[in-house]
Amino acid sequence: MENKLYFNDGWLFAPEFSKEMVEPSYKGSFETIRLPHTVAVTPFNNFSVSRYEKVSLYRKEFITDPSWNGKKVLITFEGAAHQSEVFINGTSVCVHPCGYTAFTVDITDYLKPSSEKNVLAVKLDSRESVDQPPFGFVIDYMTYGGIYRDVYIEIKNPVYIEDVFVKTNKNHFETEITLSGECHSGYSIHQKVVSAGSDGTVCAEIHAGVSSSKLLTEAGAQPVVAWDIDNPALYNLTTELLDGSGSIVDSKTVRFGFRDVRYDSTGFYLNGKKIKIRGLNRHQSYPYVGYAMPKNMQREDADILKFELGLNEVRTSHYPQSQYFIDRCDEIGLLVFTEIPGWQHIGGAEWKNIAVQNVHDMVVQYRNHPSIFLWGVRINESMDDDEFYERTNKVAHELDSTRPTGGVRCIKHSHLLEDVYTYNDFVHFGTNEGLSQKKNVTDTDKGYMVTEYNGHMYPTKMFDDEIHRTEHAVRHAKVLDASASMENLSGTSGWCAFDYNTHRDFGSGDKICYHGVMDMFRNPKIAAYVYQSQGEPSVTGDVLFVNSSLDIGEYPAGAIGDIWIYTNADSVKFYENGVFIKEYSKKDSPFKSLAHGPILIDDFIGNRLIDEDKISEEASRNVKDFLMILRRYAGNFERLSAKEKTLAQKIEQSYKLDEQKLRSLFGKYVAGWGGSIIEHKFEAIRDGKVVKTLVRVPSEEVCIKAIVLRDTLIEDNSYDVASVRFAAVDQNENIQPYCQESVTLKTEGDIELIGPSAVSLKGGCAGTYVKSVGKSGSGNLILEDWMGNSLKIPFTVIKN
């Protein structure tokens, strides 16, 4: 049957390796750990890769259960970084040269007799000097180390189901079944397709005989609903293997969706409907523990991408990622472009052989996920190597005829052996076009997708000044707007979703690449709201954000820069000190191709010149325009251009408003120096109703606000972790980006802290993680701020 015995608890770990450690008789000193596990807990930043570059030893004891007699015993490692050698009772049984794909070992012949103790040991080489992808040269991300995904055992009959692959076309499906062994006489197959929803509707059944280890079946299914990004309908296919007596000797259930993907010169099509891809790249790393986060944290990242950032796609840069992450993408309708491990470097013959095997493993292990629409079969940003890439494409197409291949490159007019020209386009530097035209990159008639943009062109920290953080957002908006306007571009996957730790050759000198639209804890930068506002309210909720604190002192010479509104509402009403100024809508955005383009505020005065200063309507329009010009120079007439000074002279001549009067109006309506506190209020309007309000005034009080997506930890196959994001906010819950104070953390009860017990805010934000400790109960995370104020966050722990 398909029962899995998870081997995530009760491991022993040593941060160094010696050959005698794999022997059953070895009695050295170990640390007791649970999986997922990292070989080294790291600081938030400023650390050396030598912390995790090591050869370590994992060891676990288990008993041969009497029920295993006459069975096959298989052990699977979902992910171990980076080269694993597995020993059973002192005997080497497998070496796996990839830290990003799963591998399964048949350990049947190496086990002790029934009821006796076995010793499972793993020699894990996490050094970046190993001769396998992605290693061989510099890499723009830290690669960490550890058995960082699940390990489990399966007990099988001598003949069992190795794999089932489902292909769909509308309401028709085919399956490719692979059985173990060679003698299959008298066996048969029974298959049933059932809706994965609550109704459990049976949609199809198949009965077939078995003549060899490879079996093809097909049938129609009724009723079925297509999987798409708005309604990700899923189905379970259960395949049962029956012996000659009709007894079930094995079963395997795979989840899939009925859907069709297609690329051509005009774009990407899902179920025949053209989709404009709007995505970001994701690294699977987290502060402190690197890759080692369990199931619910993987699922949470997918939710953040879909529901907080409003994306419809993610690229798993630059390697296959957790099955739990992809499972969640299946469930919420988030398209996935996944690719083999690698970063620019192509190694020698054996290195290439490993890469080709990585293609095989990636496709076989992930091909039932309906969210995956494209296989990446090139080493990211590598040069052309036709012989090598002919091999990788061939493997992918032989194993999966339902999906196209792509290969991410950063060179124009590259040899295209794949089905889609996937290109990292860094043409945009702020004042030019957002994206290159396809014709200037490739002359192919095949599909075209931009797989990275921005990134290193404009690194941005949470604590950069407002001008820098705003420009970061504007650049993302320009690229998205360009993408939306290009009919022959399938879409974009920007660089990147989250900041990440990287090597000294990259990043900002502190071992962090600040390329994300969110920080490493998943706190949003201003650019995050560009993406969030593109989502409809049913996905991202009602979005309303303004990029500026509207503090004069933030800007050189007091000249406040551009103020942008990010919203998915019908309109936004703007008030100053309770006085209505202007209502803005989509038509006011300069980003005309976006569904909800950022809106530039161009009026801080409204009708007040008419109502309060009794200036005519015509004069009011011209004076307002001039005052907005003057705003760029903080009221300094000396900085006006000759053309702008001429405008001031015309206003004086036409409306009898001299420079002194204009200065007075500027101080009254724009600068506000020395006057009463100015309140700026924004109301998001949908269907004539206010759905969200944002208020900006000078901060008077600052406190800590926490965001907790899950307050229940569930111990299932291993420990569980919950993220806690927190920020310094004012009385109106606006983040204070220059509050860099420290927050102390402690736990009570049945939870533990991951990471340090004190953190400094960075850009007004930080985060932490709490984990379960192997038992049901409850606990509290207590945050204490720099003023001695405490915030208690309760958690419930359930152990299944």
Side-chain angles (χ1 to χ4, degrees):
M1 299 300 111
E2 204 177 3
N3 294 329
K4 294 178 180 177
L5 174 63
Y6 281 86
F7 263 31
N8 290 332
D9 292 337
W11 285 85
L12 303 176
F13 172 72
E16 68 287 321
F17 174 81
S18 60
K19 61 182 180 180
E20 60 269 17
M21 287 180 169
V22 306
E23 297 298 330
S25 59
Y26 184 75
K27 299 298 182 182
S29 177
F30 295 97
E31 175 189 359
T32 301
I33 59 98
R34 305 173 76 189
L35 306 182
H37 181 258
T38 177
V39 297
V41 174
T42 62
F44 182 79
N45 59 355
N46 291 302
F47 62 90
S48 169
V49 296
S50 62
R51 281 180 173 262
Y52 64 75
E53 279 200 286
K54 60 183 67 181
V55 181
S56 56
L57 188 283
Y58 289 84
R59 183 178 166 112
K60 179 177 173 61
E61 297 180 353
F62 64 99
I63 302 297
T64 304
D65 193 281
S67 66
W68 299 356
N69 289 339
K71 307 283 189 179
K72 289 284 187 180
V73 182
L74 312 175
I75 187 166
T76 296
F77 294 78
E78 286 288 343
H82 285 275
Q83 187 178 94
S84 308
E85 184 173 6
V86 179
F87 297 83
I88 297 292
N89 299 318
T91 300
S92 176
V93 297
C94 173
V95 175
H96 185 68
C98 181
Y100 300 100
T101 55
F103 63 98
T104 299
V105 187
D106 184 345
I107 61 174
T108 308
D109 296 338
Y110 304 96
L111 296 177
K112 295 291 187 180
S114 177
S115 301
E116 292 190 21
K117 182 178 70 176
N118 300 278
V119 174
L120 165 65
V122 181
K123 174 188 175 184
L124 190 62
D125 193 338
S126 302
R127 295 173 297 182
E128 296 184 353
S129 58
V130 292
D131 189 21
Q132 65 186 54
F135 306 115
F137 195 52
V138 295
I139 303 173
D140 176 23
Y141 52 94
M142 289 196 173
T143 57
Y144 304 102
I147 304 179
Y148 67 94
R149 294 179 188 159
D150 289 342
V151 176
Y152 53 86
I153 275 184
E154 294 175 285
I155 312 303
K156 298 290 188 179
N157 285 302
V159 178
Y160 62 91
I161 303 169
E162 289 186 352
D163 185 60
V164 178
F165 174 36
V166 188
K167 303 178 183 180
T168 65
N169 182 13
K170 296 182 179 179
N171 66 341
H172 185 268
F173 71 98
E174 302 175 2
T175 71
E176 298 177 2
I177 305 168
T178 304
L179 305 178
S180 69
E182 297 179 359
C183 181
H184 307 101
S185 177
Y187 285 90
S188 61
I189 288 289
H190 173 224
Q191 293 180 298
K192 182 166 62 175
V193 175
V194 178
S195 169
S198 57
D199 60 351
T201 304
V202 177
C203 305
E205 286 195 72
I206 297 175
H207 296 270
V210 175
S211 57
S212 68
S213 61
K214 297 287 187 180
L215 179 65
L216 302 178
T217 64
E218 61 178 313
Q222 290 290 348
V224 296
V225 177
W227 184 96
D228 66 29
I229 58 177
D230 297 318
N231 183 25
L234 294 169
Y235 294 83
N236 290 322
L237 168 70
T238 298
T239 301
E240 296 175 335
L241 177 64
L242 293 77
D243 63 16
S245 68
S247 298
I248 300 173
V249 297
D250 195 19
S251 68
K252 188 175 185 66
T253 298
V254 298
R255 195 173 65 174
F256 71 102
F258 287 90
R259 63 103 179 92
D260 171 70
V261 296
R262 176 173 60 86
Y263 257 100
D264 64 23
S265 61
T266 65
F268 169 70
Y269 295 82
L270 178 63
N271 305 319
K273 178 183 177 182
K274 190 174 184 179
I275 302 291
K276 180 66 77 168
I277 293 167
R278 185 180 67 251
L280 291 167
N281 286 258
R282 179 223 187 206
H283 271 304
Q284 64 178 10
S285 56
Y286 298 82
Y288 314 132
V289 296
Y291 293 162
M293 278 294 190
K295 175 181 178 179
N296 283 327
M297 287 301 298
Q298 303 295 331
R299 292 172 60 85
E300 183 177 292
D301 258 10
D303 284 348
I304 289 170
L305 295 170
K306 174 85 174 188
F307 301 117
E308 292 190 31
L309 291 174
L311 307 180
N312 61 21
E313 183 267 356
V314 59
R315 175 180 168 221
T316 65
S317 50
H318 301 286
Y319 38 77
Q321 298 183 8
S322 167
Q323 293 280 357
Y324 294 132
F325 175 75
I326 311 297
D327 281 343
R328 186 58 177 161
C329 293
D330 292 341
E331 294 165 2
I332 62 178
L334 186 63
L335 294 165
V336 178
F337 172 16
T338 196
E339 62 188 346
I340 55 174
W343 203 82
Q344 295 188 347
H345 170 73
I346 299 175
E350 183 54 32
W351 193 101
K352 291 179 180 179
N353 289 338
I354 295 171
V356 173
Q357 182 63 43
N358 288 342
V359 174
H360 173 279
D361 293 346
M362 174 183 70
V363 173
V364 170
Q365 292 169 20
Y366 292 86
R367 60 187 175 178
N368 283 315
H369 289 286
S371 59
I372 294 178
F373 71 102
L374 188 62
W375 298 120
V377 298
R378 275 177 75 113
I379 302 301
N380 174 69
E381 293 188 338
S382 60
M383 294 295 102
D384 289 336
D385 187 328
D386 289 2
E387 184 276 334
F388 176 36
Y389 290 133
E390 284 171 357
R391 293 172 63 197
T392 60
N393 271 278
K394 181 180 179 183
V395 169
H397 286 133
E398 286 178 346
L399 293 170
D400 181 11
S401 61
T402 70
R403 291 177 179 87
T405 59
V408 173
R409 68 262 287 154
C410 57
I411 49 177
K412 296 180 178 180
H413 304 290
S414 166
H415 297 175
L416 181 58
L417 304 175
E418 302 82 33
D419 303 309
V420 183
Y421 199 102
T422 44
Y423 176 65
N424 291 347
D425 188 352
F426 295 108
V427 68
H428 184 57
F429 54 79
T431 58
N432 62 332
E433 70 273 19
L435 290 169
S436 304
Q437 292 294 322
K438 178 184 177 181
K439 65 182 180 180
N440 296 327
V441 177
T442 175
D443 56 4
T444 183
D445 288 332
K446 296 181 179 180
Y448 179 57
M449 178 180 175
V450 171
T451 41
E452 293 182 28
Y453 57 83
N454 284 348
H456 70 280
M457 300 297 290
Y458 207 75
T460 299
K461 306 172 185 67
M462 294 284 287
F463 47 90
D464 279 331
D465 65 29
E466 194 169 283
I467 295 173
H468 190 103
R469 288 180 284 119
T470 298
E471 172 66 11
H472 183 231
V474 170
R475 290 186 180 210
H476 276 271
K478 285 182 178 178
V479 175
L480 288 179
D481 191 54
S483 173
S485 71
M486 295 181 180
E487 289 296 321
N488 60 355
L489 173 66
S490 64
T492 56
S493 196
W495 194 263
C496 61
F498 316 127
D499 291 344
Y500 56 96
N501 290 122
T502 190
H503 293 84
R504 62 177 175 82
D505 308 86
F506 309 94
S508 296
D510 62 349
K511 307 297 175 64
I512 294 179
C513 229
Y514 293 99
H515 295 178
V517 302
M518 289 180 154
D519 71 8
M520 290 205 294
F521 288 114
R522 285 53 171 166
N523 292 302
K525 303 175 187 178
I526 296 174
Y529 296 98
V530 176
Y531 291 88
Q532 189 180 94
S533 61
Q534 301 315 302
E536 294 305 315
S538 59
V539 178
T540 58
D542 293 303
V543 179
L544 175 61
F545 186 77
V546 174
N547 67 299
S548 179
S549 65
L550 295 159
D551 289 310
I552 293 174
E554 165 66 3
Y555 289 83
I560 293 181
D562 291 340
I563 312 300
W564 295 91
I565 300 170
Y566 307 91
T567 187
N568 59 1
D570 298 334
S571 64
V572 173
K573 290 183 177 180
F574 172 40
Y575 301 82
E576 186 174 284
N577 287 340
V579 177
F580 174 74
I581 303 298
K582 185 174 180 178
E583 183 168 7
Y584 293 90
S585 64
K586 174 186 174 180
K587 64 179 176 58
D588 297 306
S589 172
F591 302 99
K592 300 302 183 182
S593 296
L594 289 180
H596 307 286
I599 301 166
L600 184 64
I601 295 178
D602 62 359
D603 187 358
F604 286 84
I605 302 172
N607 289 327
R608 289 183 291 177
L609 290 170
I610 300 171
D611 297 338
E612 298 180 22
D613 295 275
K614 309 308 177 184
I615 294 176
S616 70
E617 184 174 343
E618 177 190 347
S620 172
R621 287 196 300 269
N622 291 314
V623 170
K624 276 201 298 185
D625 289 344
F626 176 75
L627 293 179
M628 290 302 292
I629 292 171
L630 197 59
R631 177 177 171 273
R632 296 204 299 265
Y633 307 115
N636 188 342
F637 275 71
E638 298 301 317
R639 295 176 61 192
L640 291 172
S641 67
K643 182 178 180 181
E644 290 163 345
K645 288 178 180 178
T646 299
L647 178 60
Q649 293 169 357
K650 288 183 177 179
I651 290 175
E652 180 177 358
Q653 294 168 2
S654 300
Y655 310 121
K656 310 303 180 187
L657 297 172
D658 59 15
E659 181 177 322
Q660 182 177 351
K661 179 61 176 177
L662 290 174
R663 286 182 184 275
S664 174
L665 293 174
F666 178 82
K668 179 180 180 181
Y669 293 118
V670 181
W673 293 315
S676 60
I677 292 175
I678 298 177
E679 177 193 85
H680 296 100
K681 184 171 74 171
F682 304 84
E683 293 179 339
I685 310 297
R686 184 179 307 286
D687 298 327
K689 298 179 181 178
V690 177
V691 293
K692 196 164 188 177
T693 301
L694 184 150
V695 176
R696 293 275 201 263
V697 294
S699 63
E700 300 292 338
E701 300 175 3
V702 177
C703 64
I704 291 294
K705 177 185 178 182
I707 297 176
V708 181
L709 297 184
R710 292 181 297 111
D711 60 7
T712 299
L713 298 172
I714 301 176
E715 286 245 354
D716 194 359
N717 303 325
S718 183
Y719 63 87
D720 196 8
V721 172
S723 67
V724 180
R725 292 176 276 176
F726 48 91
V729 300
D730 68 8
Q731 63 271 27
N732 293 301
E733 297 197 348
N734 298 303
I735 292 175
Q736 302 301 289
Y738 303 127
C739 183
Q740 320 284 24
E741 301 290 345
S742 65
V743 176
T744 59
L745 313 165
K746 66 178 181 179
T747 57
E748 299 174 333
D750 304 310
I751 57 175
E752 289 181 350
L753 194 66
I754 293 177
S757 58
V759 298
S760 62
L761 300 177
K762 297 171 178 62
C765 297
T768 191
Y769 306 96
V770 296
K771 65 185 293 187
S772 60
V773 294
K775 60 181 179 179
S776 295
S778 61
N780 297 308
L781 171 66
I782 301 171
L783 283 65
E784 185 173 309
D785 70 16
W786 54 97
M787 297 293 290
N789 302 309
S790 295
L791 176 64
K792 181 180 288 188
I793 304 171
F795 290 89
T796 300
V797 185
I798 300 172
K799 183 173 175 61
N800 290 334

